[in-house]
Structure formats: C-alpha cells, structure tokens
Amino acid sequence: MKTFNSLVTALLLVTQSASIQAADLNGAWSIDASACGDIFTKENNRLAFKKDADLHAGGLIVQGKQITGTFEKCTVKSLREDGPNMRLIASCSDGVAISDVTFDLTFSGENNITLSSKEPVPVQMPYVRCPM
C-alpha cells in the first residue's frame, strides 16, 4: 500500500505539470468521500492532514506543484499523455528511501480521478476531491 500511495502522490504531481491546469487538481483528495472530515483540516488557510489522518481512508493534498501524502512526497521525472490517461515516472520519498514509480492517471469527472499502477502488482484506486 505504501508503494501505491507514493504512486498516487507522484501521479498527481505529474498530472498537474501537464496540459491540465494546476487548479484542476488543487485540493484534498480521498479514496472515501465520507472520511474527508477525518483526514483533512485547514490551518492558516492551507490544507493539512489532521492528526491520525493515516488511520482513515487514504488521502493526498495538492497545492500548486506540491503533492503530499500522509507519509510521502514525490517529484515528477517524466510525463507523457497517453490518450485519456497520463503516464508518469516520479521519484518518491517516504523520508527514509527514495524510489522511482510509474503510474497512470485517468480523469472520470471534474472531482474524480483514478490512479493505477501495473507494478509491483496491478492496482487501481479511485479518488474524489474533498469539499474544503
């Protein structure tokens, strides 16, 4: 799950750099819309994770080019549009190790995205933007 969270973080970062406007991805994203209030808060007009956010559904914060998960941050190394998808390679750090990940991002509506990875095992995860 940790590798997939890194993948998700990197995907959002890469997608933001692509032809899609950055504002389209800015915000708080969760795999469970009903858990948004348990995961995110606003501090000094900036999104932040609540204490113990990692105990609830997965989440990401996108602010400008900064993409943050509860345990990792990613930097995009390359991005390629592939039809309705975007494929990216990103360098992700969990504070201990750095690894490169490859993943795809598909938009399925204004406030819905699906992140997927084929390695190390096939994973597909839908995310919804939280109203903040």
Side-chain angles (χ1 to χ4, degrees):
M1 184 71 164
K2 187 178 214 178
T3 299
F4 189 72
N5 285 338
S6 296
L7 172 69
V8 169
T9 301
L11 270 175
L12 288 175
L13 184 58
V14 170
T15 303
Q16 187 167 351
S17 318
S19 60
I20 297 166
Q21 298 296 318
D24 292 342
L25 290 175
N26 281 334
W29 295 84
S30 175
I31 60 173
D32 180 0
S34 67
C36 290
D38 295 324
I39 301 170
F40 305 105
T41 188
K42 274 198 169 185
E43 296 176 0
N44 299 323
N45 208 25
R46 288 186 54 88
L47 290 170
F49 287 101
K50 285 187 171 182
K51 183 179 181 192
D52 298 328
D54 54 322
L55 299 177
H56 302 280
L60 300 167
I61 296 174
V62 180
Q63 292 178 318
K65 291 192 176 202
Q66 182 68 41
I67 309 301
T68 307
T70 53
F71 295 109
E72 69 281 327
K73 293 183 182 183
C74 295
T75 302
V76 175
K77 293 172 67 174
S78 70
L79 170 65
R80 179 179 56 131
E81 290 187 50
D82 185 16
N85 299 327
M86 293 195 177
R87 170 150 300 160
L88 70 100
I89 298 172
S91 177
C92 298
S93 172
D94 61 7
V96 176
I98 297 173
S99 60
D100 287 351
V101 291
T102 301
F103 52 94
D104 294 317
L105 175 89
T106 303
F107 285 87
S108 51
E110 183 178 337
N111 294 310
N112 296 282
I113 57 174
T114 300
L115 301 173
S116 58
S117 172
K118 293 180 175 105
E119 296 177 10
V121 294
V123 178
Q124 194 169 28
M125 185 73 66
Y127 276 78
V128 62
R129 188 189 322 256
C130 295
M132 297 296 295

